[in-house]
Amino acid sequence: MANRLTQIATRTGDDGTTGLGDNSRVSKNSSRPHAMGDVDELNSHIGLLLCEPLPADVRDLLVDVQHQLFNLGGELSIPGFALLKDDALLQLDNALDHYNAQLPRLQEFILPAGTRAAAQAHVCRTVARRAERAVVALQEHEAMRAAPRQYLNRLSDLLFVLARVLNRMNGGDDVYWKSERLAQQATGGANAATE
């Protein structure tokens, strides 16, 4: 990626196409720009999460994730090119093991809520899933490495775990879903016990 942007408003996209890193042009509505855009949006949401008070280790991890996502976006923009680092997936796996070990086991579904930082981590998680789906859609039509898809899948898992960690930063907890079915089961069980 030797080329650097020197002019932002080129007007070359006015016809509904965008230029890729290999100098080809494709419709802005085709699979590759969709995937690139979703990865870019995810990176932007992580940037917003980084505006929140975070533990230093979480902040450092997310800053590195931003760089990896930029590599991933570059890889998407240059068909046939590999930019995502080989150890990027391992970093996510290690972080998942580390942070998940600190958390109590889930007993119920949780809502994407709690502290503002946790809620933003959940937004990042959902955007990561959308980016993953966009990459899967692209891979159905074009040959690509598995690494981008795997990275986004694992990153979404990590963001879920980090949301739980961030909700506990100041003694908080997850926000649990109040399932009507489970409430009825609990009530039914109590009623059966008293009959």
Side-chain angles (χ1 to χ4, degrees):
M1 295 187 59
N3 296 333
R4 295 289 182 249
L5 294 177
T6 55
Q7 183 180 356
I8 300 302
T10 62
R11 296 174 180 80
T12 56
D14 288 352
D15 64 354
T17 65
T18 190
L20 299 180
D22 63 357
N23 293 320
S24 64
R25 296 197 69 80
V26 297
S27 168
K28 290 182 179 182
N29 193 39
S30 60
S31 295
R32 193 169 288 274
H34 275 289
M36 291 162 47
D38 288 344
V39 169
D40 186 31
E41 183 180 348
L42 171 58
N43 212 342
S44 297
H45 277 294
I46 290 175
L48 186 58
L49 176 55
L50 284 164
C51 294
E52 296 294 326
L54 301 171
D57 56 331
V58 172
R59 178 173 302 282
D60 291 345
L61 173 62
L62 291 175
V63 167
D64 195 61
V65 164
Q66 280 200 303
H67 287 276
Q68 299 294 353
L69 286 173
F70 206 84
N71 289 337
L72 197 160
E75 183 165 330
L76 291 172
S77 74
I78 307 172
F81 203 66
L83 283 173
L84 187 64
K85 294 180 181 177
D86 291 338
D87 60 352
L89 190 61
L90 180 61
Q91 179 192 34
L92 296 186
D93 282 333
N94 290 339
L96 267 166
D97 289 344
H98 171 73
Y99 291 107
N100 205 34
Q102 304 171 18
L103 297 170
R105 190 170 177 200
L106 278 173
Q107 302 296 321
E108 182 55 89
F109 290 107
I110 62 172
L111 298 178
T115 66
R116 190 166 66 177
Q120 180 61 27
H122 278 294
V123 170
C124 294
R125 169 185 62 80
T126 60
V127 177
R129 284 290 182 218
R130 178 160 34 91
E132 179 190 3
R133 291 190 301 270
V135 168
V136 167
L138 175 60
Q139 289 177 334
E140 288 175 355
H141 303 287
E142 298 186 38
M144 282 182 60
R145 296 188 319 140
R149 179 187 72 243
Q150 293 168 339
Y151 188 84
L152 292 167
N153 180 51
R154 206 76 89 254
L155 179 56
S156 179
D157 293 341
L158 177 60
L159 288 164
F160 177 84
V161 168
L162 289 179
R164 296 189 69 207
V165 168
L166 294 174
N167 262 338
R168 285 169 171 73
M169 248 177 41
N170 297 312
D173 197 1
D174 296 313
V175 179
Y176 294 95
W177 173 50
K178 295 178 182 173
S179 164
E180 290 182 25
R181 178 183 57 81
L182 292 176
Q184 288 173 351
Q185 285 177 348
T187 305
N191 289 343
T194 59
E195 289 177 357

